[in-house]
Amino acid sequence: MGTPVKRIVLSGYYGFNNSGDEAVLQSILLALQEQGERQGVTFHPVVLSVNPAETARTYGVESAHRMRPMELWKALRGADGLISGGGSLLQDETSPKTIPYYLGVIRLAQLLGKPVFVYSQGIGPVHRPKFFGWIRSAFQRCRVVTVRDEESKELLQRMGLSGSEVEVVPDPVMGMPLKNAARHRDPAGADSGLASVIGVSVRFWNKDRSELDAAAEALRKVMEETDAVVRFLPFHLPSDEEASEYVAQRLGETYKHRISIAKGVTHPQDMLAETASVSVLLGMRLHSLIYAAGRYVPMVGISYDPKIDQFLNRLSMQAACSTQAPNAAAIAEALLHLLKSREAWREDKRQVIERLKSEAHRPAERIAAFYSKAQGRR
């Protein structure tokens, strides 16, 4: 009997040029491959994407359009199962349409008799109580439900889902490796010598740009007191490049020669290599912080969403400030502290980071085990 091949559809925020969500996809694909090999199952992924051609080309997978009903239905009808996640899919903070879409994909798979696996999702915020019953009903019919933090599990329990049905695991990106050929270069250029490199991942959030103004003021203070150079790492294109340029302009001509932007980086493992090359990271994007943690890079967070605080809590850390109350002095103080104590930070966090990395493949392990056991019963 040969190795069983299982077609499995992946549903998430894929194809939108968001490095964090693309990293989730890459991490899940790698974890499925590794765990499938360990347990004698070959996975054939079919990724639902807003840009199927680009997704297929980038990851070497089959892809279908996430917003074309017939393509979606055909993908699910011909599949052996559905993975929903990871990422913050079930939240109504950004749009009331998000939860109905992702639950709709889950329910369609269930109506077609396909097993569904919720993969390390961050649940919430959910402001509309009507969604509680929808989520509970869909999740009660899932074979595996894993979430990326305790707060997500607690929210599901408030919705009426039993705690025993939900497993807390790390974000899948914690387990993403560097490319085999990845090279650590000096991201600031050959002229930077031994200068420390501050990686910066910013995004637009406040209408008055006060969060970006605070980041610029903090970076200016750090550059005044140290010889550090700044490397902007845009995670969501093109908007994060624009936010990076906004902050860079506010640093002024004096520091122009000590500033660079990693433009056009789209593959998640390329951005991971960029992150691995900095000394410390100032991040607003969740996955910029996760990239940093995965490569043992000390980080300072600016929180615009509870998911930032929830991840930092897992490292026994807190954000320097929030976008609701930007604080340039607090950001600068945190950066200066970590620039002086990088090795101590790494040693202090090494054990918890290694544990998170080892646990990140747990959902893929459970999915592979499901199909391995199912094959054994035949």
Side-chain angles (χ1 to χ4, degrees):
M1 184 182 296
T3 301
V5 177
K6 300 298 179 182
R7 291 174 62 86
I8 193 151
V9 174
L10 280 74
S11 169
Y13 191 73
Y14 305 138
F16 290 90
N17 287 326
N18 185 318
S19 182
D21 289 288
E22 295 304 304
V24 167
L25 173 58
Q26 176 73 93
S27 300
I28 294 175
L29 293 173
L30 292 171
L32 287 174
Q33 180 180 0
E34 178 182 322
Q35 295 301 320
E37 290 173 355
R38 288 184 177 181
Q39 302 192 50
V41 180
T42 298
F43 288 106
H44 180 96
V46 181
V47 179
L48 302 179
S49 170
V50 77
N51 190 342
E54 179 66 22
T55 296
R57 182 166 53 250
T58 301
Y59 302 104
V61 296
E62 186 178 340
S63 185
H65 203 292
R66 73 198 297 270
M67 299 305 293
R68 292 177 183 164
M70 284 304 298
E71 284 194 38
L72 176 58
W73 183 77
K74 287 180 180 178
L76 288 172
R77 185 187 62 174
D80 295 293
L82 168 72
I83 289 175
S84 179
S88 302
L89 305 184
L90 298 181
Q91 51 80 26
D92 58 2
E93 181 82 11
T94 57
S95 169
K97 299 178 181 179
T98 303
I99 291 175
Y101 170 78
Y102 289 110
L103 287 183
V105 175
I106 290 174
R107 294 311 299 267
L108 178 56
Q110 291 170 339
L111 286 171
L112 290 169
K114 311 300 181 180
V116 176
F117 311 93
V118 175
Y119 200 118
S120 189
Q121 286 200 28
I123 311 298
V126 180
H127 300 294
R128 297 163 177 84
K130 70 178 182 180
F131 289 143
F132 281 31
W134 297 11
I135 294 171
R136 180 182 63 251
S137 177
F139 275 28
Q140 285 174 334
R141 293 170 172 80
C142 292
R143 298 300 180 97
V144 172
V145 176
T146 58
V147 295
R148 70 185 179 199
D149 48 62
E150 289 289 345
E151 291 85 354
S152 294
K153 180 176 181 177
E154 291 168 3
L155 178 55
L156 289 176
Q157 288 178 294
R158 292 201 298 274
M159 293 179 184
L161 207 66
S162 167
S164 63
E165 298 177 77
V166 183
E167 181 179 4
V168 179
V169 297
D171 188 286
V173 177
M174 283 298 299
M176 186 172 70
L178 288 166
K179 286 181 179 177
N180 291 334
R183 292 182 300 168
H184 287 253
R185 60 181 178 80
D186 177 358
D191 294 335
S192 66
L194 298 176
S196 298
V197 182
I198 303 172
V200 179
S201 167
V202 289
R203 60 168 298 164
F204 291 120
W205 191 255
N206 294 342
K207 290 183 179 179
D208 63 0
R209 305 291 182 245
S210 55
E211 79 287 17
L212 299 183
D213 292 338
E217 184 180 343
L219 290 169
R220 187 183 307 110
K221 178 175 176 58
V222 174
M223 295 174 84
E224 286 173 358
E225 297 189 17
T226 71
D227 61 354
V229 298
V230 169
R231 176 72 164 173
F232 287 95
L233 307 177
F235 270 65
H236 192 181
L237 303 179
S239 63
D240 285 10
E241 283 189 2
E242 296 168 4
S244 298
E245 288 169 352
Y246 177 95
V247 176
Q249 289 171 3
R250 271 140 192 81
L251 289 172
E253 289 295 319
T254 303
Y255 300 110
K256 187 175 181 179
H257 66 290
R258 291 164 62 184
I259 298 169
S260 61
I261 300 176
K263 292 193 174 184
V265 179
T266 56
H267 195 285
Q269 286 177 296
D270 292 334
M271 185 59 82
L272 181 64
E274 286 277 356
T275 306
S277 297
V278 305
S279 308
V280 300
L281 179 103
L282 172 62
M284 287 182 67
R285 289 284 183 187
L286 171 65
H287 283 99
S288 71
L289 302 173
I290 294 175
Y291 278 27
R295 304 317 305 171
Y296 304 96
V297 173
M299 82 283 291
V300 175
I302 300 175
S303 177
Y304 72 93
D305 185 281
K307 65 187 179 183
I308 302 293
D309 304 291
Q310 290 159 3
F311 174 70
L312 291 173
N313 286 344
R314 300 195 77 165
L315 298 176
S316 300
M317 297 178 65
Q318 292 182 335
C321 65
S322 71
T323 52
Q324 291 180 322
N327 188 327
I331 298 170
E333 181 181 0
L335 286 171
L336 288 167
H337 172 72
L338 287 178
L339 284 170
K340 295 174 182 176
S341 58
R342 296 197 298 271
E343 289 304 320
W345 185 94
R346 292 189 184 101
E347 287 307 308
D348 180 55
K349 305 302 180 187
R350 184 172 301 278
Q351 187 173 3
V352 65
I353 290 172
E354 289 177 353
R355 177 174 57 79
L356 293 174
K357 291 174 74 170
S358 69
E359 293 174 355
H361 287 187
R362 176 66 177 152
E365 180 184 352
R366 291 185 62 184
I367 294 168
F370 171 85
Y371 288 109
S372 179
K373 291 176 183 176
Q375 182 71 11
R377 289 193 295 268
R378 291 182 178 179

